[in-house]
Structures are given as C-alpha cells and as structure tokens.
Amino acid sequence: MLEMTATPRSRLVDAIEARFRADFGDARAHPFRRFFAPGRINLVGAHLDYNGGDVLPMAVDRGIYAAMRLRSDGRIRCRSLDQDLAVDIDANDVGARTRPEWGWAGYPIGIWHGFQQRTGLGAGFEAVFGGDLPIASGLSSSAALEIVTAIGLDALHGTSLERQQIALLAHRAETGFVGVRCGIMDQFASALGRSGKVLLLHCAGPRWEHVPFDPEACEVLVLDTKKPRTLAKSGFNERVAQCATAHEILRTHARDLPHLASYTLADLEQSREAMDEVLFRRARHVVTEMGRTRAGAAALLRHDYTTLGAQLDASHRSAAGDYEVSCEELDVITSAARGSEGVFGSRLTGAGFGGCAIALLRPGAFGDVVAKVSEVFRQRFGVVPAFDVLRVGAGPGEID
Ligand code: GLA
C-alpha cells in the first residue's frame, strides 16, 4: 500500500554515482562531488506567494540528489535517473531562455546561466540527478532540481553565495529562463530549509523566520491521488492574471496597496461592484488565506496542532471554493482524511489541480488513516492512492 515509500537514500546515491561513472568516467585527479536539495510541502498559504502574502512551507527529508563536476571544455552534460532525455550542449549555445529539446534539463541549464551571469564564472559542468520525491505532484521537484544545481555550482566554484541569493537565482531561472510564472515560495523553502523548522516566509520582503515543528506531536502525511496535474500550468497562469486584475481594481476603487494580500475584506466589499464574481472570489481567497497563515503560524509557535489543522481544513475549502484549484480527487481524499481518527487537518498542497494532498496526524494514527482513506478513495475512483510520512528535512548541502 505504501507505494510512495522512497528508495533508501544510500541506494539512490549509489545509483547516481554508478551512472556518473558510466556516462562521464571517474577521474581520480578530478573527482565528482555530491549534493542534495529538499522538496517542500506548504502547511498553509495557498497561492499567496505571487500575491505578496505569507506562506508556511516546510522543507522535507526527500528531494533531489546530484553528482556534479566542472568541465574545462565549455560543455554542459545533464543526466537523470528518472528521465530518458540526456542533454549534451555547448555552454556558448545557452541564451536567455530554455529550448524545448532540453526538456527537464532546462532547469539546471537555467541555473548555470543565472550563476554565470551573477558571478562571471562560465565553466561547463556535468551532472547526474536522481530523486525520491514523486515528480510533478506538487512537492516541488523542480525547485529542488534548481537548488541542488545552484548549491553544487556554488560549492564547485567556491563562491559561497548566501542561501537567499541561491533562492533568488533559482526563482529567476524558473520564471525568466524556463518561463513559469511562479512565486518565490518553492525556491526559498528548499534553499532555507532547516532541521526541525518550518519557514514562515513573508513574500513581500522577502523576510522570514524559522518556526519549530514538533515531530513527537504531529506527523505530516502526504497523500498522492495519482491524478496528473494536467491543468496546472494553464490554470496557474490564469490565477496569476486574475489576481493581477483584481489588484488593479482594488487600487483604484479601494486603496493603493502594493500587494493583493495586503487588502482587507472591507476593501473588497468596497470594490465589489467593480469586479465580476470570479475576480471577487479569487481576491477573497487571497485575503482570507492571509488570516489563516497567520493563525497557523501562531498555532505552530504554541505547538497547538489542533488549531493549525483547522487552518488547513479552512484553507482547502477556500482553495476549492473561491480559488477553484482543487479537483474531485483532492476533495475526496482530504475529506476522507479529515473524517479519520487522529487527523488534525488536511488540504491540497502545491498549485493544486491534482497531485498530492497533505494531512497532519497525531503520531500513531498512520495505519488507520491510510486504511480508511484508501478504501474510500478506491471505492470512488477505482485507484489506490499512495501514502508516505514526510519529516522536516535538514535543508540543502553537500553530502559527505
Ligand atoms: C506552485 C508555485 C508556487 C506557489 C504554489 C501555490 O507550487 O510554484 O510558487 O504559488 O503553487 O501556493
């Protein structure tokens, strides 16, 4: 039943090293080095990052691993254990944007491009990547791929960039080079991950704090619906555009504030006539979600997982109702989780539209929750979801 349970880390790293030796050789004089960057789940704060709001993500103990080495001949060579496409290019051919034929490798190449622009260091590199996150399920495998590449280039060149700079470089690679209009949450969550801590990120600054998470009191269950996130890209970009329009209307009809997340429900009411119903609901999600993130962060500080769980439940309702980024599978799986003994709360994670949900559990509740949710989900969709308990990860870095 626990199909998501990942390959043990040591076996994964062994497989990456074996592939590196097979494809690139193992020069003793010029050894490769190994790096890791985590994926993330977001406890509360759905779709707030690109609206200048507060989010509460947690770097997990799963992510992307890489074996990397610089090259002096100006070549860039990328391999993945999970993708067939292998890419070998000349660094001189890298422009301001990715190319369709580079596929997944557009992420590491985009990082190389940003790193080279920032530092002036343009040596090529070769890398093999592998991961233990479900790919494209809302746990931010792409941000982990970006951060592991950036951490690797930084270490190989000895540039000692700050984690915040690495996160911003990765965010620029994703928005500018790859062309996804995401906010900063995923890259910051991965780059600033810290053992035993959740990140309270104020995206408007950005500013952040690390808030302790008590694994003895609460576990994070990931529930993979296995529903592909086919609409995620178009749906995501549409939400970004709708929020920008709602913000423009509020600026003229209520007050001139820098971010949509800064407005109040009273501002929204004042502008209601000027907005169509859909825009009004999108803006209402953003404004009310800010309150849930704040309440969730305050609850986390008190280790009050019951109140934090209630924020997750309310966040899911708003994301499904006002923001319309849920789907039947996510609604059914989160509602089945909520109805199970020992669950504090449950919501979709990532952009939504399919993929994974999360639930906060009382330790020990795992077996019963999984049995119940699997049965409800299987009866409804004929599919058995995958489950896994994720822990707060230690953040990115070099592996000894
Ligand atoms: C995706 C984006 C993030 C964020 C979330 C929604 O994961 O990459 O920037 O907007 O969706 O909270």
Side-chain angles (χ1 to χ4, degrees), residues 188-378:
F188 272 74
S190 180
L192 298 175
R194 227 190 248 177
S195 197
K197 300 280 165 60
V198 169
L199 185 73
L200 171 56
L201 177 64
H202 308 282
C203 300
R207 290 179 296 111
W208 60 89
E209 295 140 64
H210 285 95
V211 185
F213 183 88
D214 181 1
E216 305 293 320
C218 181
E219 284 181 344
V220 180
L221 178 69
V222 173
L223 312 95
D224 187 352
T225 63
K226 300 185 182 167
K227 163 103 191 281
R229 298 190 308 155
T230 35
L231 283 175
K233 194 166 177 195
S234 57
F236 186 87
N237 287 341
E238 188 189 48
R239 297 302 178 282
V240 175
Q242 286 168 335
C243 286
T245 311
H247 185 197
E248 267 317 301
I249 295 173
L250 280 157
R251 289 181 64 191
T252 40
H253 289 81
R255 299 185 274 164
D256 189 3
L257 297 178
H259 304 286
L260 181 57
S262 317
Y263 287 89
T264 62
L265 282 175
D267 293 322
L268 277 189
E269 283 304 334
Q270 200 179 322
S271 314
R272 192 169 196 147
E273 298 293 298
M275 265 188 233
D276 71 27
E277 172 66 17
V278 171
L279 286 188
F280 181 80
R281 287 194 285 113
R282 302 294 186 255
R284 185 167 60 189
H285 165 77
V286 170
V287 167
T288 56
E289 186 77 352
M290 273 298 270
R292 290 184 283 271
T293 308
R294 287 186 180 137
L300 197 53
L301 273 173
R302 304 191 299 271
H303 292 298
D304 173 358
Y305 295 97
T306 305
T307 304
L308 175 61
Q311 307 311 313
L312 266 73
D313 293 344
S315 170
H316 185 87
R317 275 197 299 277
S318 176
D322 275 352
Y323 218 63
E324 294 180 277
V325 291
S326 188
C327 60
E328 246 191 295
E329 287 83 350
L330 284 168
D331 289 344
V332 168
I333 212 163
T334 52
S335 134
R338 242 170 256 135
S340 308
E341 194 59 39
V343 172
F344 295 117
S346 182
R347 65 175 285 265
L348 57 82
T349 191
F353 303 101
C356 291
I358 54 166
L360 298 183
L361 310 187
R362 196 165 285 130
F366 176 79
D368 288 348
V369 174
V370 165
K372 177 168 178 200
V373 174
S374 294
E375 192 45 28
V376 170
F377 199 84
R378 193 190 54 76

